[in-house]
Amino acid sequence: MKNRQEENHRVVVTGLGETTPLGGNVADTWDAMLRGESGLGLLDEESWAKDLPPLLGGRAKSEPGTGLDHQQRRRLSRSAQFAVVAAAEAWADAGLDDGSTAPRRVAVVVSAALGDMTSIIDGWETLKTRGWRRVPPMTVPMSMGNGSAAAVALLVNARLGVHATVNACSSGTQALVTAAELIRRGDADIVVAGGAEAPLHPMVLSSFAAMRALSQRFDDPASACRPYDADRDGMVLGEGAGILVLESERHARERGARIYAELAGIGITSDAYHMVQPEPNGTGTAAAVRASLADAGVTPADVAHFNANGTATAPATRPRRAR
């Protein structure tokens, strides 16, 4: 790929949207972060919690259904509802809610690692207990990996294409890569991109618990996920969505849009090492960073901040904390 300085289609960020365990929008989430708040807690109020060992999670601060109409609440999975809420905020923040965009120059890339498994699991339970006639007719569409992306496409009237990349924890980041490539090629003027997730289901949590990947700091949920702590003991699952509006710089400047940042460089690698463990020497990560810097035409000295995927999973050799 050519250095982005040589490209005619530079990619910029013009809209922000999110709903998280810290807040129902960008401003509330950011303010809570600056105050040092945590969105993590015990999942002891769930109806199914009494049948499971203690579990930690990050429930969304605001229920997504409160901002949706009745049909959306019935037909969209929880993760798709999060995606629509965050996308609506990003779309409005970019100043695109006036209907002036060309639909065939707008695409959507919204991804998830799991998405929302509740619909298909609950549909299976309904089939077993009440028969096939009682299975909700939207069970499969609500469970599909592209469900969130499709819902966002309907929201913004995107006609160029709907994409959903699935790459575990990097799914949302991969969505930005796919979106940037659409703009760089000149195919799209605007791409709504990001990730949405709703994994707080007892089956999902039980699977990670059986893997011994979850934190057991039940006495201090707020500090349970501590990625760089020598005493880290596991991750904590959370729900929500983060969506950006990416745009070609030319298009953004022509319409007088506010530009937050530029997505300047991309680097992608894979370890081909283990199903869940990274290559211990970090060679794949280093190669991806170098490729991204080269693509952006910058040096390490130009980097002011590095945002890592900190899962806080414990080293395999460390004994688990007593429960």
Side-chain angles (χ1 to χ4, degrees):
M1 183 178 292
K2 294 181 180 179
N3 183 290
R4 60 93 178 164
Q5 301 286 1
E6 303 172 11
E7 293 289 326
N8 294 322
H9 305 284
R10 294 170 66 167
V11 182
V12 297
V13 180
T14 58
L16 310 175
E18 65 182 343
T19 178
T20 74
L22 290 176
N25 53 48
V26 170
D28 290 347
T29 297
W30 182 244
D31 288 345
M33 289 177 66
L34 294 180
R35 291 192 300 269
E37 294 183 9
S38 170
L40 307 183
L42 282 169
L43 299 174
D44 53 0
E45 296 182 0
E46 305 291 345
S47 60
W48 41 260
K50 63 181 183 299
D51 298 323
L52 296 172
L55 291 168
L56 299 170
R59 276 290 182 202
K61 189 79 168 182
S62 301
E63 281 297 307
T66 56
L68 305 177
D69 61 37
H70 177 68
Q71 188 177 73
Q72 288 174 314
R73 289 195 297 270
R74 290 186 63 244
R75 294 190 174 186
L76 298 181
S77 68
R78 186 172 179 82
S79 60
Q81 290 183 25
F82 283 131
V84 167
V85 169
E89 182 186 14
W91 193 250
D93 185 50
L96 294 167
D97 53 353
D98 59 0
S100 61
T101 59
R104 296 199 179 278
R105 298 289 296 171
V106 179
V108 169
V109 190
V110 177
S111 304
L114 290 174
D116 191 334
M117 301 185 67
T118 301
S119 301
I120 198 164
I121 294 174
D122 289 353
W124 171 242
E125 292 299 325
T126 299
L127 174 64
K128 291 192 297 181
T129 59
R130 303 177 64 188
W132 72 271
R133 294 181 183 276
R134 305 300 296 179
V135 174
M138 296 299 290
T139 295
V140 171
M142 291 171 68
S143 304
M144 295 181 110
N146 70 331
S148 294
V152 171
L154 289 173
L155 173 75
V156 303
N157 193 27
R159 303 292 182 87
L160 179 59
V162 177
H163 310 269
T165 56
V166 180
N167 277 322
C169 300
S170 65
S171 295
T173 303
Q174 181 65 49
L176 301 183
V177 171
T178 302
E181 289 174 341
L182 287 169
I183 295 172
R184 284 182 168 191
R185 291 200 305 263
D187 294 341
D189 292 327
I190 298 169
V191 185
V192 182
E197 206 78 68
L200 300 184
H201 186 280
M203 195 281 289
V204 177
L205 291 162
S206 296
S207 175
F208 278 106
M211 197 189 299
R212 303 178 69 187
L214 300 180
S215 173
Q216 299 178 35
R217 296 185 184 278
F218 310 120
D219 56 335
D220 188 15
S223 64
C225 188
R226 45 178 79 186
Y228 299 104
D229 195 307
D231 194 32
R232 65 190 184 277
D233 77 326
M235 64 180 179
V236 180
L237 299 182
E239 62 180 5
I243 303 292
L244 301 179
V245 172
L246 300 182
E247 196 167 347
S248 73
E249 183 182 38
R250 173 193 53 77
H251 188 270
R253 294 199 182 281
E254 284 179 353
R255 68 181 187 88
R258 171 186 51 200
I259 295 176
Y260 286 104
E262 178 184 359
L263 200 167
I266 295 169
I268 303 174
T269 63
S270 57
D271 287 347
Y273 174 77
H274 188 272
M275 182 64 72
V276 294
Q277 295 179 6
E279 195 278 323
N281 294 317
T283 55
T285 301
V289 171
R290 284 194 294 268
S292 181
L293 292 172
D295 187 40
V298 300
T299 69
D302 299 314
V303 177
H305 171 75
F306 186 84
N307 194 67
N309 175 31
T311 59
T313 45
T317 57
R318 178 177 303 145
R320 299 284 291 179
R321 300 174 79 221
R323 301 186 63 168

